[in-house]
Amino acid sequence: MPSDSIDESCIHKIKFLMHWFYRNAALIFQLTQKDDEIKHPTLTAVPPVSIHLYDSAQKHVMSVPPDLHQQYLQTCQNLSQPENHFVARVLQEADKGDSSRQTKGITLKIAGNNRLVPVQRVTDEDVQVLASVLCSAVFVTGLDLRYNNLTDVGVRHMATFLQSNETLLHLRMTGNKIGNKGGMYFASMLQVNCSLEKLDLGDCDVGTQCLIAIASILTQNKAVKAINLNRPLLYSQEEETTVRIALMLKSNSSLVELHLCKHEIKSLGVERLCEALYENCSLRYLDLSCNKITRDDVKFLGELLKQNQTLEILDLNSNRIEDDGAIYLSEALALYNRTLKALVFQ
C-alpha cells in the first residue's frame, strides 16, 4: 500500500510539472533566446527614428550662420589666392555679431577710402574669393565696395554671383573704374536678378552703351528702387542717354531714387525728363546736380512741380539756374506744390 501511494504521488507531481512546462514553454524559449543574444549580439540597422533625429540635427546646423572668416581663409587656400587682410578683418568682425543678423541682415563695409586707418584695397582676385564666400551667407544684405581697385574682371565675378543670389539688397561700387564693359556685366545681371534694390555705379566710368542698356532693362526690372549713375564717360552732346532714361521713367513704377549727376544734361534732356515725370508716380528723389541746366530750362521743372505730387527731393546744385530760375521754382512751390520737401541749388 505505501509503495503504491508513493508511486501515485510521484506520478501526480510529474504530470503537474509536465503541464506547467507546456504552458510556459514559449516563455522559457524567449528567455533562453534573450540570454543568447546578450552573449552573442548581432549588428542591426539603425531604426528610422534615428535617421529623423540626424536630419533634424543637420537642419539645425545648417541654420547656424556660417563662419565667414574661416570660409574666406579656406577659399583663399582652395583658389591659391593670397589673403587680403582688410577683407579678412571685416569678415572676422561680422562673425562677432549677435544672432539678430539672421533676421535683420548686415552690410559688409569694405570701402577702400578709409583715411583714418590704412587698408588693403580690394582687387579683382579678392572679389572672386569674396563672391564664393557670400554664396552661403544669406544674412549679408548689403555690400560696400567703394573706391577699391576693381575692374571689369572683378565685376564679372560679382555679376555672376548676383545672377543666382536672392538675398543681397544693396551694392555700392562708387569709384571703381569698371568701365563700359563692367557696366554691361551689371546690366546683364539686372535682367536675371529680381532682388537687388539699390545699385551704386557712380564714378565708375560707365559709357553710353551701358546707360542705354540699364535704361532699357529697368523698363522690365521691378526690384531696383534706387540707382546711382553719376559721372559716366559721355562723348556725345546729343543727350541720347538722358532721352533713354526719360523713356524708362514713363513705364517704370518701382524706381524711387535716381542720380544723374554730371550727365551733361541741357535743355532737351530736362524737357524729356519732365515729360516723363508727368506720367511717373514713383520717383521721389531726382539728382540733376552738376549738369548744364540754365534758367530757361528750369521753366520745364517749374511747370512740372505745379502738377507733380510725388517728387520729394530735387537736387539742382551746381547748375546755371540764376535768380530768374529760382523765381520760377519758388512760384511753383509757393502756389501749387505741397509735396516737395527739399530743393537744393546754388
Side-chain angles (χ1 to χ4, degrees):
M1 293 287 299
S3 59
D4 294 339
S5 61
I6 292 174
D7 291 340
E8 291 179 1
S9 175
C10 290
I11 292 172
H12 179 73
K13 289 180 180 179
I14 291 171
K15 289 182 178 180
F16 174 80
L17 288 173
M18 291 180 63
H19 178 70
W20 181 90
F21 178 82
Y22 285 120
R23 287 182 56 188
N24 297 278
L27 177 61
I28 294 171
F29 176 77
Q30 290 175 6
L31 291 173
T32 305
Q33 189 178 41
K34 288 288 183 180
D35 182 65
D36 186 66
E37 287 177 358
I38 292 173
K39 293 178 181 178
H40 306 284
T42 57
L43 294 177
T44 56
V46 178
V49 65
S50 299
I51 296 175
H52 294 317
L53 289 173
Y54 173 77
D55 291 343
S56 177
Q58 189 177 44
K59 290 177 181 178
H60 176 70
V61 171
M62 292 300 291
S63 67
V64 175
D67 189 325
L68 296 179
H69 182 241
Q70 289 300 322
Q71 282 194 12
Y72 175 72
L73 297 179
Q74 184 62 49
T75 306
C76 286
Q77 183 177 354
N78 295 341
L79 297 177
S80 300
Q81 295 290 350
E83 173 191 345
N84 184 308
H85 298 292
F86 177 40
V87 175
R89 187 170 71 249
V90 171
L91 296 180
Q92 197 169 25
E93 290 296 322
D95 287 332
K96 296 178 182 179
D98 54 35
S99 59
S100 64
R101 64 180 180 166
Q102 295 185 69
T103 55
K104 297 180 180 178
I106 64 171
T107 296
L108 298 178
K109 298 181 180 181
I110 319 180
N113 63 337
N114 192 331
R115 298 182 180 181
L116 299 177
V117 181
V119 298
Q120 181 182 353
R121 295 196 174 188
V122 179
T123 64
D124 295 331
E125 292 76 16
D126 296 327
V127 166
Q128 181 182 10
V129 178
L130 185 61
S132 178
V133 172
L134 293 180
C135 287
S136 60
V138 296
F139 56 88
V140 176
T141 56
L143 182 59
D144 184 353
L145 292 173
R146 292 174 298 161
Y147 301 105
N148 281 293
N149 295 328
L150 302 181
T151 68
D152 59 279
V153 177
V155 169
R156 185 175 184 178
H157 296 306
M158 184 56 60
T160 301
F161 156 68
L162 287 172
Q163 285 183 349
S164 57
N165 179 272
E166 297 180 352
T167 55
L168 195 71
L169 304 179
H170 312 144
L171 176 61
R172 303 193 69 178
M173 295 289 295
T174 304
N176 290 286
K177 305 306 179 182
I178 65 175
N180 195 70
K181 187 175 182 180
M184 289 300 293
Y185 284 136
F186 277 127
S188 299
M189 175 272 296
L190 291 175
Q191 289 183 302
V192 181
N193 184 287
C194 297
S195 57
L196 192 68
E197 296 181 357
K198 295 182 180 180
L199 178 60
D200 184 348
L201 296 180
D203 196 16
C204 286
D205 290 352
V206 299
T208 300
Q209 182 186 15
C210 170
L211 293 177
I212 292 176
I214 289 177
S216 176
I217 292 166
L218 288 182
T219 59
Q220 304 295 327
N221 184 301
K222 304 303 179 184
V224 176
K225 293 179 172 56
I227 190 165
N228 181 358
L229 300 173
N230 288 347
R231 198 196 162 280
L233 293 182
L234 302 176
Y235 301 101
S236 174
Q237 300 296 318
E238 297 181 359
E239 301 186 81
E240 181 182 5
T241 56
T242 306
V243 172
R244 293 297 186 94
I245 291 172
L247 287 173
M248 175 271 295
L249 289 173
K250 285 187 176 182
S251 58
N252 183 289
S253 59
S254 56
L255 197 64
V256 176
E257 183 175 338
L258 175 61
H259 295 265
L260 299 175
C261 174
K262 296 185 178 181
H263 271 244
E264 301 290 325
I265 297 176
K266 299 184 285 291
S267 181
L268 175 63
V270 173
E271 183 178 7
R272 294 298 176 85
L273 285 172
C274 289
E275 289 176 357
L277 291 177
Y278 281 112
E279 302 179 28
N280 183 285
C281 297
S282 64
L283 195 69
R284 298 177 185 174
Y285 185 175
L286 178 60
D287 179 5
L288 297 177
S289 60
C290 301
N291 281 291
K292 296 183 177 180
I293 301 173
T294 66
R295 61 181 184 181
D296 294 328
D297 305 330
V298 171
K299 291 180 180 179
F300 297 115
L301 289 168
E303 291 300 317
L304 170 68
L305 292 176
K306 291 179 180 179
Q307 299 185 39
N308 183 282
Q309 300 298 317
T310 307
L311 208 58
E312 297 180 358
I313 302 175
L314 178 59
D315 190 344
L316 296 173
N317 194 34
S318 299
N319 283 285
R320 297 174 292 179
I321 65 173
E322 303 177 12
D323 292 341
D324 290 342
I327 292 174
Y328 296 142
L329 294 174
S330 61
E331 289 177 351
L333 295 176
L335 301 175
Y336 301 96
N337 190 286
R338 294 292 182 271
T339 56
L340 196 70
K341 298 178 180 179
L343 175 61
V344 185
F345 64 87
Q346 275 185 329

